[in-house]
Amino acid sequence: MPRSGNPLSASNCVVTPIFHNVAFFFEDTEQFVNYKTDKRNRGRYGRYDNPNWSEVEDRLATLEDSEAALLFPSGMSALTSTVLTFVRQGEKILFLSRTYRNAKALFDEVISGFGIKAVALDQADTDLFKEQFLKEYDTKCRMVVIEMPSNPHQYLVDLAFVRQTVGPDTLILVDSTLSTPINLKPLRHGADLVVHSCTKYLAGHADVMAGSVAGTVARLEKLRRTRDVTGAIPGPDTAFLLNRGLETLPMRMANFESVGATVAKYLNGHPRVSRVYWTGLPDHPHHELAKKYLLGHGGVIAFELCASRIETTVFVDKLRVPYMGTNFGSCQPMVEQCSVFTYYKLAPQERESMGITDQLVRLSVGFASAEILIEDMEQAFAQTFRRPDRRVSNAWG
Ligand code: PLP
């Protein structure tokens, strides 16, 4: 990673200090006029500029192989701001039905209120997806939103097919939160914009919410204008913590890769597990696409148990190493039974359409070793299938 150095830091600190600063002064009007043409070298006001943002934005752009990047206070605000910047009333968005729950809600519930038509396409079956895509794509389509790999099944989309199919006026946006720029470079495969929930792997310590968008300078200047006006800005501490997380991203991803592979193989061979969703496994339904696009597979593994809903709950409750909670990509191992946790508000039919079965569990390996995670799962399997847990059975009524 190149030395970051910040023109505004006015110190020789190895770590850029946190700039809790709202107003920037100018020596004279000429300096202000220069600011207007070259904003990056001098700040003006805290909603437009912050040295901690600039530092981390440069670093994100380098990681993403993009001309520029912009920081937002969360992954959802990055996605929302991007959609509102580039898509207008009467236009259309194509997105994926198996996608992060709130991204789907953004399209189904919020964007539709702005007169934008959002159509969901199921990417689980690649041939069917292509067929549906050709049917739904038309000249009104301004944006295609692809979460890749998808959360939690890690489905992929053939980006080359999408690029060849859409015209130059359609932007391809890839949310590659689950792969990070270490494992996927969407811009190399025809994407126009890359969104991340930096809250996950990029910051990596479960102590900061942030989002980012990468792309060309011309597009990001349009997006910057939206951010300037809407005020969807991160605090300087957010940028500082994210920058610190990025320092160790390659090392953390290498660790997740090796632990993820061992745990995924263990689960794949377990008699109580019916399916494992980890793109590095040859029997993941999109393993061939993974070979085409991914440089690694990460530390998030989704799997389905050969068990009832209650047995799956007991198994998750018996785990002692991961925290039960809704996050992934951080140091802390995390686990959830998806249908009763992140997706609990959804109607059963909606869960079913998203492939969220009652047996589906998502594990983020964190910094636990594979041995410790496997030992923990062994004891949870043993307790689940030999001693039914009364407390949980009662809780389900
Ligand atoms: N994109 C994906 C793939 C996610 O999993 C999430 C959150 O879980 C988001 C976007 C939203 O990010 P944030 O929670 O930072 O708003």
Side-chain angles (χ1 to χ4, degrees):
M1 192 128 356
R3 271 191 270 164
S4 49
N6 194 298
L8 290 180
S9 89
S11 82
N12 58 348
C13 299
V14 170
V15 175
T16 306
I18 302 176
F19 285 77
H20 278 286
N21 185 56
V22 167
F24 299 81
F25 71 88
F26 296 85
E27 298 294 344
D28 50 31
T29 305
E30 189 188 350
Q31 207 176 51
F32 177 67
V33 171
N34 288 341
Y35 158 83
K36 299 217 73 152
T37 50
D38 183 17
K39 291 184 178 185
R40 298 184 62 78
N41 288 326
R42 187 160 294 274
R44 176 187 173 196
Y45 181 62
R47 186 159 25 80
Y48 310 140
D49 317 283
N50 177 277
N52 297 105
W53 303 348
S54 311
E55 182 175 29
V56 81
E57 285 168 349
D58 286 350
R59 189 167 262 191
L60 286 167
T62 305
L63 276 167
E64 210 61 78
D65 277 356
S66 65
E67 288 177 15
L70 282 178
L71 199 55
F72 289 85
S74 68
M76 283 314 299
S77 85
L79 182 60
T80 307
S81 303
T82 308
V83 168
L84 293 180
T85 300
F86 294 106
V87 189
R88 292 277 164 266
Q89 190 178 11
E91 295 181 334
K92 185 171 171 184
I93 294 175
L94 296 181
F95 71 104
L96 306 176
S97 58
R98 296 173 197 248
T99 208
Y100 169 56
R101 179 178 60 99
N102 282 315
K104 189 169 184 303
L106 172 71
F107 298 120
D108 287 344
E109 299 167 27
V110 181
I111 292 299
S112 53
F114 288 80
I116 295 167
K117 190 172 176 200
V119 178
L121 306 176
D122 191 341
Q123 78 272 41
D125 179 323
T126 304
D127 292 334
L128 263 179
F129 169 77
K130 288 183 178 173
E131 221 173 273
Q132 276 187 318
F133 194 94
L134 292 172
K135 210 167 114 206
E136 288 292 345
Y137 181 73
D138 57 37
T139 51
K140 286 196 170 156
C141 183
R142 199 59 56 232
M143 188 178 275
V144 181
V145 179
I146 295 168
E147 187 179 302
M148 176 158 162
S150 67
N151 175 12
H153 298 93
Q154 308 185 23
Y155 289 127
L156 305 174
V157 162
D158 192 348
L159 290 176
F161 159 80
V162 176
R163 184 72 278 168
Q164 281 155 18
T165 308
V166 305
D169 292 339
T170 305
L171 294 174
I172 300 173
L173 179 155
V174 173
D175 174 342
S176 61
T177 297
L178 254 106
S179 52
T180 82
I182 304 293
N183 288 339
L184 173 63
K185 305 272 188 200
L187 299 176
R188 288 188 192 162
H189 300 287
D192 300 297
L193 296 159
V194 184
V195 166
H196 284 285
S197 166
C198 307
T199 313
K200 311 294 185 324
Y201 283 116
L202 297 194
H205 295 72
D207 55 8
V208 59
M209 296 288 305
S212 65
V213 184
T216 60
V217 168
R219 290 198 180 108
L220 290 210
E221 282 310 305
K222 252 186 118 176
L223 182 59
R224 184 193 297 278
R225 176 77 186 136
T226 303
R227 187 179 72 173
D228 285 356
V229 170
T230 60
I233 53 162
D237 303 80
T238 291
F240 176 89
L241 287 171
L242 174 56
N243 196 41
R244 190 189 58 177
L246 290 176
E247 295 273 7
T248 57
L249 180 68
M251 283 82 93
R252 288 186 287 112
M253 291 310 290
N255 192 63
F256 287 138
E257 189 69 19
S258 97
V259 176
T262 310
V263 172
K265 279 178 203 148
Y266 157 77
L267 286 165
N268 211 30
H270 199 284
R272 288 287 181 181
V273 177
S274 58
R275 291 178 99 167
V276 180
Y277 298 94
W278 190 73
T279 47
L281 290 175
D283 41 6
H284 185 283
H286 292 176
H287 183 64
E288 287 308 309
L289 285 173
K291 285 203 278 189
K292 185 168 174 185
Y293 292 111
L294 300 185
L295 304 165
H297 313 279
V300 177
I301 303 152
F303 54 99
E304 277 165 351
L305 298 187
C306 309
S308 66
R309 181 181 66 171
I310 292 169
E311 285 169 333
T312 308
T313 303
V314 175
F315 170 77
V316 169
D317 281 354
K318 291 293 176 196
L319 291 171
R320 287 291 161 256
V321 173
Y323 291 96
M324 189 194 290
T326 189
N327 191 29
F328 62 83
S330 291
C331 314
Q332 302 82 357
M334 303 288 296
V335 74
E336 66 166 276
Q337 181 183 5
C338 302
S339 66
V340 300
F341 213 98
T342 295
Y343 295 84
Y344 77 101
K345 271 192 179 164
L346 267 55
Q349 312 87 284
E350 202 177 347
R351 280 206 291 268
E352 201 184 312
S353 74
M354 296 174 83
I356 306 294
T357 65
D358 286 328
Q359 290 71 29
L360 186 67
V361 175
R362 188 184 72 191
L363 173 72
S364 177
V365 298
F367 281 178
S369 69
E371 293 69 35
I372 284 178
L373 288 165
I374 290 171
E375 197 182 302
D376 190 35
M377 284 192 272
E378 281 291 296
Q379 67 78 23
F381 277 124
Q383 292 201 65
T384 305
F385 294 107
R386 283 184 210 141
R387 280 196 283 133
D389 188 308
R390 290 265 161 240
R391 180 178 59 81
V392 176
S393 310
N394 288 343
W396 283 109

